[in-house]
Amino acid sequence: MAAGVATWLPFARAAAVGWLPLAKKTMPKPPVDKKSRNDEILFVNVSGLRFQTWKNTLDRYPDTLLGSSEKEFFYNEDTQEYFFDRDPEMFRHILNFYRTGKLHYPRQECIQAFDEELAFYGIVPDIIGDCCMEEYRDRKKENQERLAEDTEAENATDTPLPPHSTSRERLWRAFENPHTSTMALVFYYVTGFFIAVSVIANVVETVPCRPPKGSKKDLPCGEKYTLAFFCMDTACVLIFTFEYLMRLFAAPSRCKFMRSVMSVIDVVAIMPYYIGLVMPENEDVSGAFVTLRVFRVFRIFKFSRHSQGLRILGYTLKSCASELGFLLFSLTMAIIIFATVMFYAEKGTKGTNFTSIPASFWYTIVTMTTLGYGDMVPNTIAGKIFGSICSLSGVLVIALPVPVIVSNFSRIYHQNQRADKMRAQQKVRLARIRLAKKGTTNAFLQYKEEGGFQGRGSDNALCLKNRSSFEHQHHHLLHCLEKTTNHEFTDELTFSEMCMTESVGYRTSRSTSISSQQGVATSCCPRRAKRRAIRLANSTVSVSRGSVQELDTLQVHKTSAGPQSRSSLNARTEDLKLNCEDRDFTAAIISIPTPPANTPDESLPPSPAIPGILRNSRPTSFTHETVKISSL
Amino acid sequence: MSGCARCCKHGLMKFALSVGKLVRGTLIKDNLDDDLELSVVCHRPEGLEQLEAQTNFSKKELQVLYRGFKNECPSGAVNEETFKQIYSQFFPHGDASTYAHYLFNSFDSSQNGSIKFEDFVTALSILLRGTTTEKLEWTFNLYDINRDGYINKEEMTNIVKAIYDMMGRFTYPALKTDTPKQHVDAFFQKMDKNRDGVVTLDEFILSCQEDENIMRSLQLFENVI
């Protein structure tokens, strides 16, 4: 029910007194209202801007944040007010909604910010008043389209191919996005070059060349150097045919491809040549053949694959079809009217050019478009008057639909520009983000290197840089993760080094280490954690120098740490085999001399670990385990 | 023939006028838009002290009432259409417009088609803070549609029908066509002491005072505000 109606409810209830004498049964008891009915002024502080309103005003909409008990969460006892850490400018509109019952959309605000505020205060956007609803909807749709466009652009061009794409998919992709591979780029430029060559050849072969010896007449170049032009034409057509066939092969949907505009242009461009080949040298037919050669000029449209501007123009014309239609229609109407008038006006004149109404069409068109060739001019006074009216109206009729077409073109062009700009900015943005991410991981690694762990002591305290509590907690979290998975974070360099040193001594040292691994007292992570490690730490796990210290510290806590284990650990630092193939990551697990399974995490305190360790001092099974794992 | 000539002359005049407009270059828009600005009638109530004296409400209560009223009707008065709409929102199942019409008339003491804040507050004062006699008097005035001092069967039937209309179609048990009539008969049975077919104010008040239920229920609505 609308808020305003709530105000009238007491009134309607009071009017119910009128039913009492008629009542057949006794009236039910009224509900008891426990809250104090006194209206009070509430203070709402939004980022420093204090608003005051009656409690009743806010109670009008009990299913929003301010109208329900949810606002008690924001009540500040000390200052006796409700504090919201949100945008105060927007809050004004929200509060006005409570006051007037109508939600207005402020035009100068960002639509997403407004939506977020509404979501926070629990107000459904559908109740925006009619005055602002259209604007709101339009802006929202525009924003969504823009976002969709951006994600599409992001995904479409620069995503790497899925790993198992067929050659056909790769080929299609190369055709559609030439900048993805060098071959595609080369092919792109080659076809562009040949299109240009073909068009220029078409043009040049009609230019008159010097006549051959013994003839006075000027010959067009095409007839003088027939062979040369024929060879050039053949070469171009071969390239175009090859390109068309390749595209046809690579297209995901051949039917759709054959119906597309570009493919039709391609076909029309190469058809005249083939028809010319099969055509016999016949006088009658060759006339028709000459007409066909006109279609060779369509090759110039093939440039639209290479030029974005042309594509935009074509798209604009398509989208302005209705305006163009209107322009054409109104022009036709005006031409017919004026041609008729001019014909009848000039009918009397002797030797006039206005021989018929269709003949006057030419004059009307030339006049309306303000060309004014002057090959047809009116002689009578009436003709001159109507002629001048014709030229004036021509200006008007043509000037009217043109701005619509222009604005459409401008919109589409800017959209395109924006897409390109967005792509360029995206690259820079992503690079910067990657840099920042690297920065945080580097901070952690640096922290570790400086020995920032507990127990390293006060001598390292000076080395520790001044870190915010956030960083401390973050680093602690990463540390916990390391302990959980029994792997450590490292940087790319160290990891690749590790990959290189798949040392020869691996087998030998492993055997020695196994023998000396009895009762090694480091707690280990359960199998589950190991598997998690496989999945998680795909690229950032290795054991660096720091890890030796790690295990070192652990040894200190635990009981039966033998020196040999330490030495073996030392020996094995270099021999830690990290299998760098993605599948066999379990190899990394071998390197850590821990008995598998049934033991708690390292992050747990020592005491529960000890019984676990004691439980697991089964060297034979341990060996088996290790062997098994390595074979994975 | 003469009519045709007149028509032609009329058409010619219009054409000449439009050419004249064209020549002068002014496009005279319809000036009707300016007249659409209706002057908003604003009504202000009498002073707070006066209203406090006239009614049984305290100042604070009057303030709360007025704020709500003014928020809904910034112009200061409610007309019948708006009143019907508001009242119908409380009874979405049925059609409350007829009853709202009768209510409106009973509230509109000056019978000028709009309820001002004073009327509103006066009626509320009676209904919520008045004596039982006053309440019963108000109810009598509600039932007495033509204000002649008597309730006859026809008026009562109208009222009862209007009330049943508010129930809507889907009731349990289903409404029969003669239910209102039966209800009215029962009412008259109780109220009409001297069996003269009409109920006067005194008869009404007397009969109601005899009925325990009615007297008790009159106290129910006092805590509405």
PDB file of all heavy atoms in Angstrom, chain B residues 191-204:
ATOM      1  N   MET B 191     -34.441  -1.323  16.343  1.00  0.00           N
ATOM      2  CA  MET B 191     -34.361   0.108  16.591  1.00  0.00           C
ATOM      3  C   MET B 191     -35.723   0.805  16.582  1.00  0.00           C
ATOM      4  O   MET B 191     -35.944   1.763  17.326  1.00  0.00           O
ATOM      5  CB  MET B 191     -33.455   0.775  15.531  1.00  0.00           C
ATOM      6  CG  MET B 191     -32.070   0.198  15.466  1.00  0.00           C
ATOM      7  SD  MET B 191     -31.090   0.762  16.836  1.00  0.00           S
ATOM      8  CE  MET B 191     -29.639  -0.231  16.690  1.00  0.00           C
ATOM      9  N   ASP B 192     -36.571   0.322  15.693  1.00  0.00           N
ATOM     10  CA  ASP B 192     -37.821   1.072  15.525  1.00  0.00           C
ATOM     11  C   ASP B 192     -38.792   0.708  16.642  1.00  0.00           C
ATOM     12  O   ASP B 192     -39.500  -0.286  16.590  1.00  0.00           O
ATOM     13  CB  ASP B 192     -38.422   0.731  14.158  1.00  0.00           C
ATOM     14  CG  ASP B 192     -39.545   1.682  13.808  1.00  0.00           C
ATOM     15  OD1 ASP B 192     -39.792   2.633  14.589  1.00  0.00           O
ATOM     16  OD2 ASP B 192     -40.175   1.469  12.774  1.00  0.00           O
ATOM     17  N   LYS B 193     -38.826   1.562  17.646  1.00  0.00           N
ATOM     18  CA  LYS B 193     -39.613   1.223  18.825  1.00  0.00           C
ATOM     19  C   LYS B 193     -41.105   1.297  18.558  1.00  0.00           C
ATOM     20  O   LYS B 193     -41.876   0.447  18.934  1.00  0.00           O
ATOM     21  CB  LYS B 193     -39.251   2.162  19.999  1.00  0.00           C
ATOM     22  CG  LYS B 193     -37.828   1.999  20.454  1.00  0.00           C
ATOM     23  CD  LYS B 193     -37.700   0.882  21.473  1.00  0.00           C
ATOM     24  CE  LYS B 193     -36.296   0.866  22.047  1.00  0.00           C
ATOM     25  NZ  LYS B 193     -35.572  -0.316  21.740  1.00  0.00           N
ATOM     26  N   ASN B 194     -41.458   2.399  17.908  1.00  0.00           N
ATOM     27  CA  ASN B 194     -42.903   2.593  17.760  1.00  0.00           C
ATOM     28  C   ASN B 194     -43.421   2.049  16.425  1.00  0.00           C
ATOM     29  O   ASN B 194     -44.548   2.336  16.038  1.00  0.00           O
ATOM     30  CB  ASN B 194     -43.262   4.065  17.895  1.00  0.00           C
ATOM     31  CG  ASN B 194     -42.459   4.910  16.906  1.00  0.00           C
ATOM     32  OD1 ASN B 194     -41.707   4.373  16.094  1.00  0.00           O
ATOM     33  ND2 ASN B 194     -42.637   6.201  16.969  1.00  0.00           N
ATOM     34  N   ARG B 195     -42.613   1.312  15.740  1.00  0.00           N
ATOM     35  CA  ARG B 195     -43.031   0.621  14.528  1.00  0.00           C
ATOM     36  C   ARG B 195     -43.676   1.554  13.510  1.00  0.00           C
ATOM     37  O   ARG B 195     -44.663   1.229  12.893  1.00  0.00           O
ATOM     38  CB  ARG B 195     -44.037  -0.513  14.855  1.00  0.00           C
ATOM     39  CG  ARG B 195     -43.521  -1.540  15.831  1.00  0.00           C
ATOM     40  CD  ARG B 195     -42.758  -2.649  15.095  1.00  0.00           C
ATOM     41  NE  ARG B 195     -42.171  -3.584  16.059  1.00  0.00           N
ATOM     42  CZ  ARG B 195     -40.888  -3.500  16.441  1.00  0.00           C
ATOM     43  NH1 ARG B 195     -40.101  -2.573  15.953  1.00  0.00           N
ATOM     44  NH2 ARG B 195     -40.426  -4.352  17.313  1.00  0.00           N
ATOM     45  N   ASP B 196     -43.088   2.719  13.381  1.00  0.00           N
ATOM     46  CA  ASP B 196     -43.675   3.610  12.386  1.00  0.00           C
ATOM     47  C   ASP B 196     -42.884   3.602  11.072  1.00  0.00           C
ATOM     48  O   ASP B 196     -43.110   4.420  10.193  1.00  0.00           O
ATOM     49  CB  ASP B 196     -43.784   5.042  12.937  1.00  0.00           C
ATOM     50  CG  ASP B 196     -42.416   5.558  13.353  1.00  0.00           C
ATOM     51  OD1 ASP B 196     -41.414   4.784  13.339  1.00  0.00           O
ATOM     52  OD2 ASP B 196     -42.308   6.753  13.693  1.00  0.00           O
ATOM     53  N   GLY B 197     -41.965   2.681  10.967  1.00  0.00           N
ATOM     54  CA  GLY B 197     -41.239   2.541   9.701  1.00  0.00           C
ATOM     55  C   GLY B 197     -40.038   3.430   9.576  1.00  0.00           C
ATOM     56  O   GLY B 197     -39.267   3.304   8.632  1.00  0.00           O
ATOM     57  N   VAL B 198     -39.854   4.375  10.507  1.00  0.00           N
ATOM     58  CA  VAL B 198     -38.647   5.211  10.481  1.00  0.00           C
ATOM     59  C   VAL B 198     -38.012   5.192  11.855  1.00  0.00           C
ATOM     60  O   VAL B 198     -38.682   4.939  12.869  1.00  0.00           O
ATOM     61  CB  VAL B 198     -38.947   6.671  10.078  1.00  0.00           C
ATOM     62  CG1 VAL B 198     -39.301   6.752   8.620  1.00  0.00           C
ATOM     63  CG2 VAL B 198     -40.017   7.214  10.956  1.00  0.00           C
ATOM     64  N   VAL B 199     -36.749   5.483  11.854  1.00  0.00           N
ATOM     65  CA  VAL B 199     -36.025   5.533  13.128  1.00  0.00           C
ATOM     66  C   VAL B 199     -35.614   6.973  13.360  1.00  0.00           C
ATOM     67  O   VAL B 199     -34.941   7.583  12.515  1.00  0.00           O
ATOM     68  CB  VAL B 199     -34.776   4.625  13.080  1.00  0.00           C
ATOM     69  CG1 VAL B 199     -34.014   4.688  14.381  1.00  0.00           C
ATOM     70  CG2 VAL B 199     -35.165   3.198  12.753  1.00  0.00           C
ATOM     71  N   THR B 200     -35.990   7.493  14.508  1.00  0.00           N
ATOM     72  CA  THR B 200     -35.559   8.851  14.858  1.00  0.00           C
ATOM     73  C   THR B 200     -34.301   8.774  15.689  1.00  0.00           C
ATOM     74  O   THR B 200     -33.887   7.709  16.140  1.00  0.00           O
ATOM     75  CB  THR B 200     -36.646   9.580  15.648  1.00  0.00           C
ATOM     76  OG1 THR B 200     -36.830   8.864  16.868  1.00  0.00           O
ATOM     77  CG2 THR B 200     -37.930   9.654  14.866  1.00  0.00           C
ATOM     78  N   LEU B 201     -33.744   9.933  15.926  1.00  0.00           N
ATOM     79  CA  LEU B 201     -32.474   9.993  16.658  1.00  0.00           C
ATOM     80  C   LEU B 201     -32.642   9.433  18.064  1.00  0.00           C
ATOM     81  O   LEU B 201     -31.803   8.657  18.548  1.00  0.00           O
ATOM     82  CB  LEU B 201     -31.979  11.447  16.700  1.00  0.00           C
ATOM     83  CG  LEU B 201     -30.669  11.687  17.450  1.00  0.00           C
ATOM     84  CD1 LEU B 201     -29.539  10.901  16.786  1.00  0.00           C
ATOM     85  CD2 LEU B 201     -30.328  13.166  17.471  1.00  0.00           C
ATOM     86  N   ASP B 202     -33.736   9.815  18.743  1.00  0.00           N
ATOM     87  CA  ASP B 202     -33.912   9.367  20.119  1.00  0.00           C
ATOM     88  C   ASP B 202     -34.096   7.858  20.182  1.00  0.00           C
ATOM     89  O   ASP B 202     -33.500   7.180  21.028  1.00  0.00           O
ATOM     90  CB  ASP B 202     -35.130  10.071  20.727  1.00  0.00           C
ATOM     91  CG  ASP B 202     -34.954  11.569  20.659  1.00  0.00           C
ATOM     92  OD1 ASP B 202     -33.860  12.037  21.030  1.00  0.00           O
ATOM     93  OD2 ASP B 202     -35.903  12.253  20.209  1.00  0.00           O
ATOM     94  N   GLU B 203     -34.905   7.356  19.270  1.00  0.00           N
ATOM     95  CA  GLU B 203     -35.102   5.907  19.223  1.00  0.00           C
ATOM     96  C   GLU B 203     -33.754   5.211  19.049  1.00  0.00           C
ATOM     97  O   GLU B 203     -33.449   4.222  19.726  1.00  0.00           O
ATOM     98  CB  GLU B 203     -35.999   5.540  18.021  1.00  0.00           C
ATOM     99  CG  GLU B 203     -37.466   5.766  18.247  1.00  0.00           C
ATOM    100  CD  GLU B 203     -38.269   5.394  17.009  1.00  0.00           C
ATOM    101  OE1 GLU B 203     -37.683   5.262  15.910  1.00  0.00           O
ATOM    102  OE2 GLU B 203     -39.481   5.192  17.151  1.00  0.00           O
ATOM    103  N   PHE B 204     -32.998   5.782  18.139  1.00  0.00           N
ATOM    104  CA  PHE B 204     -31.704   5.184  17.820  1.00  0.00           C
ATOM    105  C   PHE B 204     -30.809   5.149  19.050  1.00  0.00           C
ATOM    106  O   PHE B 204     -30.257   4.103  19.414  1.00  0.00           O
ATOM    107  CB  PHE B 204     -31.076   5.989  16.681  1.00  0.00           C
ATOM    108  CG  PHE B 204     -29.775   5.450  16.192  1.00  0.00           C
ATOM    109  CD1 PHE B 204     -29.743   4.286  15.438  1.00  0.00           C
ATOM    110  CD2 PHE B 204     -28.590   6.094  16.482  1.00  0.00           C
ATOM    111  CE1 PHE B 204     -28.549   3.780  14.982  1.00  0.00           C
ATOM    112  CE2 PHE B 204     -27.396   5.588  16.022  1.00  0.00           C
ATOM    113  CZ  PHE B 204     -27.375   4.428  15.281  1.00  0.00           C
TER     114      PHE B 204
END
